[in-house]
Amino acid sequence: MVSKKRHFSAIQESDGEEKRIETSKFGMKINTNKCNVENIISSQSQSMNPMSQIRPPSPTTSLRPGIHLDLLLHLASANSFVREAAAEMLVTESIEVQKAYEDLENRVEDEGNLLLEGEKDDGLEDCAPSLRLLVSRLILGASSTRECARQGFSLGLAVVLEKITAVKVESVMRLIIKKLNIPSGMKGQEARDLLLGRLFTYGSLARSHRLFSKWISDKNTHVITEFTSTLISLAQKKRYLHEPAIAVILNMLEKLPLEAIERHVLIAPGMQEWLQKAVETGDPDALFFALKLQEMVPMKRETFNKLLPHPFNIENFFSRENLQILGKCFKESTFCLPRIHSIWSFLVNMLIPDGRSQHDVEIHSNKKSRKCNSSEDIIKNIRCFCEVVIEGTLLQSSHDRKHLALNILQLLLPRLPSSTIDSVLPHKLVQCLMDILSTKNTWLYNTAQLFMNDLLNWAVLEDERHAAVIVSLQKYSNGRFDCVTRTNTVRELVAEFKTAQGCMQFVNSLMNLFVDEVAITGEPSDQSQTTDENSEIGSAEDKGSLVVSGNTELLKIWVIDSMPRLLKNLKVDLRVGSSNSTEEKFKIQTRIAKFLAVQGLFSASLGTEVTSFQLLEKFQWPRVTSSSSLCKMCIEQLQLLLEDAQKEESVSFANSLERNDLGSFFMCFLKTLGEIPSVSLYRTLSKEDEKAFSRLQEVEFRLYQEERDIGPGLLANKLHAMRYLLIQLVLQILLHPNDFSEAASDLIICCNKLFPSTADNDSEDAFDDNDMPKLMDVLVETLLSILPRSSGRMSYVVEQVFRFFCSDITDYGLQRMLRVVKKDLKPLRHPVSSDDDEENDEDDEVLGIEDTEMDETKAGEVSAHEENEDHSDEMANAGETTSSSEDESVGGELAGTEHELNVRKSGDNPRKSVKPVGDKARDTDSEDFDDSDGGMDDDAMFRMDAYHAQLLKERTGNDNALSQLILFKLRVLSLLEIYLQKYPGKSHVLAISSCFVQTYSKYHGVGGNEQLCQRIIAILKKKVFKGKDHPRGGDIALDTLEKLLGRSLKTASRSRVKDISSLAQAYAFWLLKIISSRNFPESELGRVALIVENVLLDYFNNRNCRLKSGFIKEIMKRHGWLGLKLFAFLLDKCANGKSEFRRIEAVDMVDCIIKSVIPSGKGERDKETTRKSSKLLKVQLPVLCEVILQLLNNLPGKQSRRAEVRRFCTRALEAVAALNLKKSFVKAMMPDGISVCESKLGNAVAPFKAL
């Protein structure tokens, strides 16, 4: 690692020095005119603050020019402009000094006129002493570690060598070795500084053009050979010097002609040996040097041996054989990490030249041009490079080389053609990424994340590569890339498809992936084979991330699941209403529907390809037959696709757009494909299912024709909803054999009755109206029979059908739905109480069903009811048939549990012994006989363990049954919510709300019913209590309302559960709202007041009553007539309450009533109310006066209660005055009473004194 850091530092400094020299060379021309130099400094001082530190040299008294060595300090500045300006001033002064020195006749200078003197044997005898000293200082400064001293001093040396020819190259080379000599005992940082100083000074020589000038003047010079040999020798000293030394040589070669390279560079000592051994030693610098040299000058084969192929061309170099030979060179290029070796940028440019974009490669790849470096060759070279170098060499090695492989691919990505993505993301790379990303806090994790970010950003720019990247990641991870890496990479990539063209591209890619005949062989993760001994990541088997070999089931599951979900991203763009966008999306839907139908519903008996001449399309199946689970998943996703299409069709139809009917397209496609002789359904249907399957298709076709003929309207919407129910039922028959054939027959009968114009008179479904129950009852029963065993998609179409036909629902149909909501898993064998029967009777009364009628109905349809119970049992057991013994054991156990629960809920003592039922009774008997296991041997114990295991298994199955029953209830609740939303004013709402309240109270707090209770309370609050309307029909008897009100008030006063009490109070408010809106006679309203009075009596007399006074006062505020009827009762409680607290509560309630009778307006209605209030108050005035006197004479002890009493008395006086009852009041109070009031109430009695 130390050598890597040193090498990285050397390269950075060398590159920085090169950049500075190039800036000086091309960006700021060095002039010898001092005025221009000062202008440069002045202009730089204005634009860059750091330049202010350089000041022009102060004038000297000497007539000779001189070099101000204090400028050397500025060569180490971190500011490049400061370094360049300082170097420019130094070379300007040096030129003037050398010119003055050469003009002297006597070159022996006076010691006093010199600042310092250079060495006598430095080989620079022709240079002025100041210049000799400057050169020496520049060489030494190149080894300094101060800021940017190496860059600045090497820059100064380069410009001095280039501008002053008197400084000889040979002398400078000898001076470098002398000044930067490394003693034998020197190590560490000091030796490193001297080596880097040599490297930078040699770089100055190479960039100064003096070597080229030397060769021009003397073609037999040995300077170039010596310079090359010296650099090769320097590079051998430390590994981090290899690449920068080669960069210096290449920089020199750029300035030399071919002849000089052949005669001086290639024959330099050590050059041939270095190149010949490069393949064996694995030297990437030698390979880079050979490639650069071959680019400059074509060389003979002997020059590079095996390093380069012969004849050399890009195709031969990137051939599989040559890349395998160079594998060691590629591996050893990791020594400079984290920086990427220069060879890789060069190789990437060779693969795809800088001027050839990936778009150009894709366009020209279809042309048959055989020019050199054609697009076909580029794609071929990329594939060979990725297979041999990336996958075969680097990924199978250490972590450093994996790091390098990812960095190389990042360089390659911006130029990569989309057609080569499968080669760039091979199996081993995807497995490597999965291993790395699945374990955080590793050295490679950040590198892999950066690579994935670049890959994703690059992929989303074009649809083809977008789809190709997703397919590669999932294909080689067996569809588990996100799962193993614990990221959302693939999910987010799929969500990025926003256009119809991109979605279609991705769908086609998924279809090809699903039916691809090439077996995707699962290879073991490379981490388990190729990590080095210092690996930070364990094997894939240890983490469970190894993909099962050859198993493509998960991949196909992902393909099936991704297709319908892909369309959700297009909804935002397509809701605008653009017909073009709608058509594009419909094409994608039909494409997906055909694929899911082919793969899920059918199989080919002859081969894997079938061509439909009617559709002019070829269909493919995988070579390995898909499993039944995959076919079922295809059908389920097809149902989801049809559901989404139905939702969108309803929106587009509401916006007066032309409806694209995906359901009709699917049914036509289903019929056409089924007529092909070599194609059959993936499973064999029974006679009943086959008959229902074909008849559903026929009825759907007739409904479709009728819908198309009649045009838009309510009837068309009914036909459309019923059609989609038939379509979904066709798919349900394939999903669940022998479960839906009877429901399909009933539904066909309903369709023929609902839409007589579409009925087939010759069909066996013809029926006699006299023999049939009400049509809506049959439809409701059919819908209820479909819901338990169907999927969520099926539930949606059932809701749509119910939405259009629920206006005709009968009392019996509604009662059947409500019984589902209240249904228990199994009935109790020994009923604890008759509460449930009373509740059912209440529902019957609300619905207006007479007992005799219900008895006849029950007697006539016992078999149908039992069959429905069987269906519910099958639903509860997830569609599986269970034996009668298992049903009895599970039912007995659950019955015992519910028995205990109901006993506790009925208010009995929970400690009271309850006799168990079913298996629990037998268990209890055995425990009574012997509750110890002392007499059991080992075999008996093992048998007992087996029994316990079976019992736990049964309980687990019971939990599953309960969850299925809850799901069934939730679906029925959705239907009832639709009815409440459409018809909030019908009398059926009362029965529904009553059932909801009872069910909520029954299941609240019972495990597994939380979701059911939450759904019920949400519907009640939103659709009933806060609904726009409430039942107003005259068909609701007051007796029913009274019973419901009494039960709700009783629950509110007795329930210890806050949620149940709150619901009962809200329900009571809603019932009183209905009663108040009906305008019942006073005599009948008196019965309602009596119910409330009994509750108040319980409130005042019973400590167990849990009613709050706020609830009672709210009733008085909302319904003033009820307060007037309870006025006398409350006045009595004000005087005769059991406790002071209750008396004050009664005072507060009477205060609310009195406040409501004070007139507030002059309307006719207010006048009538005032008249009634005045009459009532006049009758109760003696009692009111007596209560006032009693309260004032016996004021409570607490200040707050005394304030309430005074407020009540004051309010009573105000009401008497407002209702013109002053004289009656004074007469009833007597003078003594008036005096008491005046003493206690003060000015409130003033209006009564004058009387």
Side-chain angles (χ1 to χ4, degrees):
M1 290 301 296
V2 174
S3 62
K4 290 180 183 179
K5 292 180 180 178
R6 290 179 179 176
H7 177 80
F8 182 54
S9 176
I11 295 302
Q12 280 187 323
E13 294 168 348
S14 176
D15 292 346
E17 194 269 346
E18 180 180 359
K19 187 183 294 184
R20 299 284 76 78
I21 290 181
E22 293 300 323
T23 302
S24 175
K25 184 176 179 182
F26 298 105
M28 183 187 298
K29 186 176 181 181
I30 298 179
N31 299 310
T32 57
N33 190 333
K34 187 171 183 177
C35 179
N36 290 341
V37 175
E38 293 176 354
N39 291 337
I40 292 173
I41 296 176
S42 177
S43 62
Q44 292 295 338
S45 299
Q46 295 175 4
S47 61
M48 300 291 294
N49 290 334
M51 285 302 302
S52 61
Q53 56 184 306
I54 297 184
R55 297 183 178 86
S58 58
T60 60
T61 57
S62 174
L63 297 176
R64 296 180 188 176
I67 299 175
H68 297 80
L69 296 181
D70 56 347
L71 291 174
L72 295 175
L73 298 175
H74 300 298
L75 289 178
S77 174
N79 192 316
S80 60
F81 294 106
V82 173
R83 296 198 302 269
E84 291 169 359
E88 187 174 357
M89 294 178 66
L90 279 174
V91 74
T92 302
E93 292 180 352
S94 299
I95 291 173
E96 293 178 354
V97 167
Q98 181 63 22
K99 184 178 181 181
Y101 177 74
E102 291 174 353
D103 292 341
L104 288 176
E105 295 179 359
N106 185 8
R107 296 186 178 182
V108 180
E109 300 187 21
D110 188 8
E111 291 290 335
N113 295 330
L114 290 176
L115 297 173
L116 288 173
E117 186 177 357
E119 298 185 15
K120 301 297 183 181
D121 56 349
D122 55 5
L124 301 175
E125 292 81 4
D126 296 335
C127 299
S130 300
L131 182 58
R132 294 163 66 181
L133 179 61
L134 176 63
V135 172
S136 179
R137 291 287 184 87
L138 290 174
I139 292 174
L140 287 173
S143 64
S144 174
T145 58
R146 179 187 173 191
E147 289 188 300
C148 297
R150 291 193 180 99
Q151 290 87 339
F153 280 85
S154 61
L155 171 63
L157 181 60
V159 294
V160 167
L161 288 172
E162 184 174 359
K163 297 299 180 180
I164 304 176
T165 57
V167 181
K168 298 178 181 180
V169 176
E170 299 89 338
S171 301
V172 173
M173 290 179 62
R174 289 193 297 272
L175 193 59
I176 290 172
I177 297 175
K178 181 179 179 180
K179 291 291 184 182
L180 302 178
N181 182 40
I182 302 175
S184 59
M186 182 179 292
K187 295 181 180 179
Q189 183 66 30
E190 295 180 353
R192 174 182 177 275
D193 294 337
L194 293 176
L195 288 174
L196 291 177
R198 284 193 185 186
L199 178 66
F200 275 85
T201 52
Y202 288 140
S204 300
L205 282 172
R207 297 183 179 98
S208 65
H209 297 273
R210 289 295 300 278
L211 295 174
F212 173 71
S213 302
K214 188 69 176 177
W215 183 82
I216 291 296
S217 61
D218 182 8
K219 295 187 178 180
N220 295 323
T221 181
H222 299 288
V223 174
I224 297 176
T225 303
E226 182 182 353
F227 181 79
T228 304
S229 178
T230 303
L231 278 172
I232 293 176
S233 176
L234 177 65
Q236 303 302 322
K237 294 182 180 296
K238 293 294 181 181
R239 184 63 181 269
Y240 59 83
L241 295 175
H242 285 196
E243 190 178 359
I246 299 305
V248 172
I249 296 176
L250 291 174
N251 186 270
M252 175 190 67
L253 295 183
E254 292 176 356
K255 303 174 178 62
L256 295 178
L258 174 61
E259 182 182 356
I261 295 174
E262 291 179 345
R263 293 179 55 186
H264 298 281
V265 177
L266 295 181
I267 63 173
M271 175 64 74
Q272 288 300 319
E273 293 80 358
W274 175 53
L275 294 176
Q276 294 296 327
K277 296 180 181 179
V279 175
E280 288 75 13
T281 59
D283 193 341
D285 301 300
L287 178 60
F288 179 62
F289 176 78
L291 289 172
K292 292 288 288 187
L293 191 60
Q294 182 67 35
E295 184 183 37
M296 298 176 188
V297 183
M299 293 294 173
K300 299 179 182 179
R301 180 174 184 177
E302 295 77 12
T303 305
F304 304 114
N305 194 10
K306 297 181 181 180
L307 205 56
L308 296 181
H310 185 80
F312 179 83
N313 54 54
I314 294 180
E315 287 72 26
N316 289 340
F317 180 82
F318 287 107
S319 65
R320 188 178 299 273
E321 295 77 12
N322 186 66
L323 292 177
Q324 289 174 348
I325 293 173
L326 300 176
K328 194 170 183 179
C329 296
F330 297 142
K331 289 182 179 180
E332 295 301 321
S333 66
T334 57
F335 70 89
C336 59
L337 286 176
R339 193 184 62 84
I340 303 176
H341 197 282
S342 303
I343 190 175
W344 296 112
S345 299
F346 188 82
L347 291 178
V348 168
N349 196 48
M350 286 178 63
L351 276 173
I352 306 177
D354 222 355
R356 298 289 296 275
S357 66
Q358 53 183 326
H359 182 66
D360 297 334
V361 173
E362 294 289 347
I363 291 178
H364 293 90
S365 62
N366 296 325
K367 298 182 179 180
K368 300 300 181 182
S369 173
R370 298 307 304 168
K371 295 181 181 180
C372 181
N373 200 23
S374 65
S375 298
E376 292 86 351
D377 294 334
I378 291 176
I379 295 175
K380 178 183 177 182
N381 294 339
I382 293 173
R383 288 175 178 168
C384 287
F385 176 79
C386 293
E387 290 175 5
V388 177
V389 179
I390 301 297
E391 187 175 6
T393 302
L394 298 179
L395 288 180
Q396 293 190 5
S397 189
S398 64
H399 280 15
D400 285 347
R401 287 160 188 165
K402 289 182 173 65
H403 186 286
L404 176 62
L406 296 179
N407 289 336
I408 294 169
L409 291 176
Q410 284 179 277
L411 291 177
L412 193 60
L413 277 180
R415 308 181 186 184
L416 192 66
S418 300
S419 57
T420 60
I421 290 178
D422 191 61
S423 300
V424 175
L425 289 175
H427 180 273
K428 290 183 180 178
L429 178 61
V430 175
Q431 289 294 307
C432 177
L433 289 171
M434 291 169 62
D435 289 331
I436 295 171
L437 294 174
S438 63
T439 307
K440 295 184 178 181
N441 303 322
T442 58
W443 184 64
L444 285 175
Y445 182 78
N446 292 334
T447 304
Q449 273 196 323
L450 290 175
F451 171 76
M452 289 302 300
N453 289 336
D454 290 347
L455 177 66
L456 301 186
N457 293 334
W458 170 80
V460 297
L461 297 177
E462 185 181 327
D463 292 333
E464 183 178 356
R465 63 189 182 209
H466 189 177
V469 167
I470 298 175
V471 169
S472 294
L473 292 177
Q474 291 295 88
K475 178 170 68 174
Y476 296 122
S477 65
N478 203 14
R480 300 176 64 243
F481 188 86
D482 283 354
C483 178
V484 174
T485 60
R486 295 189 287 274
T487 62
N488 292 322
T489 302
V490 175
R491 183 180 294 273
E492 292 174 357
L493 272 177
V494 173
E496 288 294 329
F497 284 105
K498 301 295 184 182
T499 62
Q501 182 180 1
C503 289
M504 184 63 76
Q505 177 75 35
F506 184 55
V507 168
N508 293 332
S509 300
L510 292 179
M511 293 170 60
N512 295 332
L513 179 63
F514 190 91
V515 300
D516 191 6
E517 296 183 357
V518 179
I520 305 171
T521 58
E523 300 181 20
S525 172
D526 61 293
Q527 286 289 347
S528 61
Q529 301 177 3
T530 61
T531 51
D532 56 6
E533 60 182 2
N534 296 322
S535 172
E536 299 177 14
I537 301 179
S539 64
E541 289 97 349
D542 296 336
K543 298 188 295 290
S545 63
L546 184 63
V547 178
V548 179
S549 177
N551 183 16
T552 61
E553 190 86 1
L554 293 176
L555 178 61
K556 291 183 178 181
I557 288 175
W558 171 79
V559 171
I560 296 170
D561 181 66
S562 298
M563 284 191 174
R565 193 152 30 90
L566 181 67
L567 295 170
K568 295 181 180 179
N569 303 321
L570 293 175
K571 289 184 177 180
V572 177
D573 298 332
L574 295 175
R575 283 179 179 176
V576 183
S578 173
S579 58
N580 294 333
S581 300
T582 306
E583 289 297 329
E584 290 176 354
K585 184 169 185 179
F586 184 69
K587 290 179 181 179
I588 301 173
Q589 288 176 327
T590 56
R591 184 73 169 167
I592 297 175
K594 287 192 293 184
F595 170 78
L596 294 175
V598 169
Q599 304 302 329
L601 274 67
F602 296 98
S603 62
S605 57
L606 301 176
T608 60
E609 292 186 2
V610 172
T611 301
S612 172
F613 297 102
Q614 183 176 353
L615 299 176
L616 301 177
E617 191 172 356
K618 182 173 68 175
F619 304 102
Q620 291 181 314
W621 283 266
R623 178 175 298 178
V624 179
T625 305
S626 299
S627 63
S628 59
S629 61
L630 278 180
C631 294
K632 288 183 178 180
M633 186 174 183
C634 287
I635 297 175
E636 291 172 353
Q637 293 300 316
L638 184 57
Q639 287 183 310
L640 178 61
L641 182 66
L642 290 170
E643 177 191 350
D644 293 338
Q646 184 182 5
K647 293 177 181 178
E648 293 170 5
E649 288 168 12
S650 60
V651 174
S652 63
F653 198 66
N655 295 332
S656 300
L657 296 176
E658 185 178 355
R659 177 183 291 178
N660 290 318
D661 199 329
L662 183 64
S664 173
F665 171 85
F666 165 70
M667 296 300 285
C668 293
F669 179 79
L670 179 66
K671 180 181 179 182
T672 303
L673 202 62
E675 293 173 351
I676 301 177
S678 59
V679 175
S680 60
L681 293 175
Y682 85 100
R683 75 185 328 161
T684 303
L685 299 178
S686 63
K687 292 183 179 180
E688 293 78 8
D689 284 347
E690 186 176 1
K691 181 180 178 181
F693 188 79
S694 59
R695 290 169 62 194
L696 286 173
Q697 295 183 62
E698 296 173 1
V699 175
E700 190 279 333
F701 179 71
R702 294 199 300 267
L703 294 183
Y704 171 69
Q705 289 182 324
E706 180 71 14
E707 178 188 354
R708 187 178 56 183
D709 294 340
I710 64 176
L714 178 61
L715 181 57
N717 291 335
K718 290 183 177 182
L719 287 166
H720 191 74
M722 186 63 73
R723 279 183 49 240
Y724 267 88
L725 178 57
L726 297 175
I727 295 171
Q728 294 283 11
L729 202 55
V730 168
L731 298 176
Q732 283 294 119
I733 289 176
L734 294 174
L735 280 176
H736 303 284
N738 304 319
D739 284 347
F740 289 92
S741 56
E742 184 176 354
S745 300
D746 294 341
L747 192 61
I748 291 173
I749 294 175
C750 292
C751 290
N752 292 334
K753 187 69 175 178
L754 290 169
F755 312 107
S757 59
T758 65
D760 186 5
N761 297 327
D762 298 333
S763 173
E764 1 178 291
D765 295 328
F767 52 87
D768 186 3
D769 293 342
N770 297 327
D771 297 334
M772 291 292 294
K774 292 184 178 179
L775 176 61
M776 197 59 200
D777 293 343
V778 177
L779 181 60
V780 170
E781 289 283 359
T782 305
L783 296 180
L784 291 179
S785 67
I786 292 174
L787 283 179
R789 293 159 293 175
S790 60
S791 61
R793 274 71 67 185
M794 197 73 186
S795 301
Y796 174 77
V797 294
V798 169
E799 291 175 8
Q800 296 306 307
V801 171
F802 184 80
R803 184 185 302 275
F804 288 109
F805 293 96
C806 64
S807 58
D808 300 327
I809 193 170
T810 64
D811 293 343
Y812 175 77
L814 184 61
Q815 196 261 352
R816 294 294 297 150
M817 297 176 69
L818 296 181
R819 287 194 175 183
V820 172
V821 177
K822 296 189 294 184
K823 179 179 176 60
D824 290 323
L825 189 62
K826 288 288 183 179
L828 294 177
R829 295 183 178 181
H830 301 283
V832 180
S833 65
S834 59
D835 290 344
D836 293 338
D837 295 335
E838 292 177 1
E839 292 174 359
N840 292 334
D841 293 341
E842 285 182 8
D843 292 339
D844 297 343
E845 292 177 4
V846 172
L847 294 171
I849 301 177
E850 297 180 359
D851 295 338
T852 56
E853 181 183 353
M854 282 301 301
D855 293 338
E856 293 175 359
T857 304
K858 290 180 181 179
E861 296 187 4
V862 170
S863 59
H865 175 72
E866 291 177 352
E867 183 179 358
N868 187 58
E869 294 291 339
D870 293 339
H871 287 172
S872 300
D873 295 341
E874 292 177 7
M875 173 279 305
N877 289 281
E880 298 181 0
T881 305
T882 58
S883 63
S884 59
S885 60
E886 291 176 347
D887 289 342
E888 290 179 2
S889 61
V890 175
E893 181 183 351
L894 183 64
T897 304
E898 291 183 349
H899 179 77
E900 294 178 357
L901 181 62
N902 289 333
V903 167
R904 293 179 182 179
K905 291 171 64 177
S906 63
D908 293 342
N909 187 354
R911 298 183 180 180
K912 183 179 179 180
S913 176
V914 180
K915 183 178 180 181
V917 294
D919 293 337
K920 200 165 186 178
R922 292 191 293 271
D923 295 342
T924 305
D925 294 340
S926 63
E927 290 175 3
D928 293 339
F929 178 75
D930 186 5
D931 58 354
S932 67
D933 58 354
M936 298 178 64
D937 56 7
D938 292 340
D939 294 337
M941 289 293 293
F942 282 123
R943 287 195 299 271
M944 182 60 68
D945 291 340
Y947 171 77
H948 289 162
Q950 180 64 23
L951 186 61
L952 290 175
K953 182 178 179 180
E954 291 174 354
R955 288 181 177 176
T956 303
N958 187 47
D959 292 340
N960 185 36
L962 178 60
S963 63
Q964 293 294 326
L965 179 60
I966 295 299
L967 181 60
F968 182 27
K969 291 183 177 183
L970 291 174
R971 291 173 177 176
V972 176
L973 285 178
S974 298
L975 300 182
L976 294 172
E977 183 181 13
I978 293 173
Y979 185 83
L980 292 175
Q981 183 178 4
K982 289 178 67 70
Y983 306 105
K986 284 196 173 184
S987 58
H988 288 159
V989 176
L990 188 64
I992 297 173
S993 61
S994 174
C995 174
F996 283 5
V997 172
Q998 295 168 10
T999 306
Y1000 183 86
S1001 302
K1002 180 179 180 180
Y1003 292 111
H1004 184 275
V1006 179
N1009 293 272
E1010 295 82 3
Q1011 187 178 3
L1012 176 67
C1013 293
Q1014 292 175 3
R1015 188 84 171 99
I1016 289 176
I1017 198 67
I1019 295 175
L1020 284 173
K1021 288 182 179 180
K1022 186 176 180 181
K1023 304 299 181 183
V1024 179
F1025 299 152
K1026 297 181 180 180
K1028 298 180 181 179
D1029 199 359
H1030 59 272
R1032 299 178 183 273
D1035 54 344
I1036 301 178
L1038 182 61
D1039 294 342
T1040 303
L1041 294 173
E1042 290 174 359
K1043 289 182 179 180
L1044 294 176
L1045 178 62
R1047 182 177 292 275
S1048 62
L1049 291 175
K1050 180 180 178 182
T1051 303
S1053 63
R1054 283 291 183 264
S1055 177
R1056 297 184 178 184
V1057 182
K1058 182 178 179 182
D1059 293 337
I1060 296 178
S1061 178
S1062 300
L1063 176 61
Q1065 293 177 16
Y1067 190 53
F1069 283 136
W1070 185 72
L1071 291 173
L1072 287 172
K1073 180 180 178 181
I1074 297 175
I1075 294 173
S1076 299
S1077 64
R1078 291 286 303 277
N1079 295 322
F1080 287 107
E1082 291 291 334
S1083 59
E1084 295 183 355
L1085 290 178
R1087 301 203 306 265
V1088 176
L1090 184 60
I1091 294 174
V1092 180
E1093 182 178 330
N1094 291 332
V1095 174
L1096 290 177
L1097 184 63
D1098 182 64
Y1099 172 77
F1100 286 110
N1101 297 334
N1102 194 341
R1103 289 186 177 183
N1104 294 328
C1105 182
R1106 298 181 179 277
L1107 280 180
K1108 302 297 181 183
S1109 61
F1111 168 65
I1112 300 174
K1113 289 188 288 186
E1114 187 66 24
I1115 291 178
M1116 307 302 177
K1117 291 179 181 178
R1118 295 186 183 186
H1119 309 285
W1121 62 271
L1122 190 57
L1124 294 177
K1125 290 184 177 296
L1126 298 173
F1127 188 73
F1129 172 79
L1130 292 175
L1131 281 178
D1132 178 67
K1133 293 301 176 182
C1134 290
N1136 303 318
K1138 285 188 175 182
S1139 64
E1140 182 181 284
F1141 172 76
R1142 293 302 186 187
R1143 289 195 295 272
I1144 298 301
E1145 291 291 334
V1147 166
D1148 203 7
M1149 295 176 189
V1150 174
D1151 183 50
C1152 291
I1153 298 174
I1154 293 176
K1155 183 179 179 181
S1156 64
V1157 302
I1158 297 177
S1160 58
K1162 297 182 180 180
E1164 294 296 330
R1165 183 176 180 181
D1166 192 63
K1167 288 182 179 179
E1168 179 65 21
T1169 304
T1170 303
R1171 185 184 63 79
K1172 293 181 179 180
S1173 302
S1174 177
K1175 183 178 179 181
L1176 175 67
L1177 189 59
K1178 187 175 182 180
V1179 174
Q1180 300 293 335
L1181 197 58
V1183 180
L1184 178 62
C1185 293
E1186 184 180 351
V1187 169
I1188 292 175
L1189 288 176
Q1190 183 178 351
L1191 291 172
L1192 292 178
N1193 289 326
N1194 301 284
L1195 287 174
K1198 288 186 178 181
Q1199 183 177 358
S1200 59
R1201 294 180 180 177
R1202 290 198 300 270
E1204 291 180 6
V1205 169
R1206 292 191 181 97
R1207 183 172 59 252
F1208 161 72
C1209 295
T1210 303
R1211 184 101 60 191
L1213 296 178
E1214 292 177 358
V1216 169
L1219 296 175
N1220 297 321
L1221 298 176
K1222 295 179 183 179
K1223 292 183 179 180
S1224 300
F1225 178 79
V1226 172
K1227 183 178 179 181
M1229 286 293 290
M1230 303 296 288
D1232 295 338
I1234 296 295
S1235 301
V1236 172
C1237 292
E1238 184 178 3
S1239 62
K1240 301 294 183 180
L1241 301 178
N1243 296 330
V1245 191
F1248 299 89
K1249 285 185 175 182
L1251 299 177

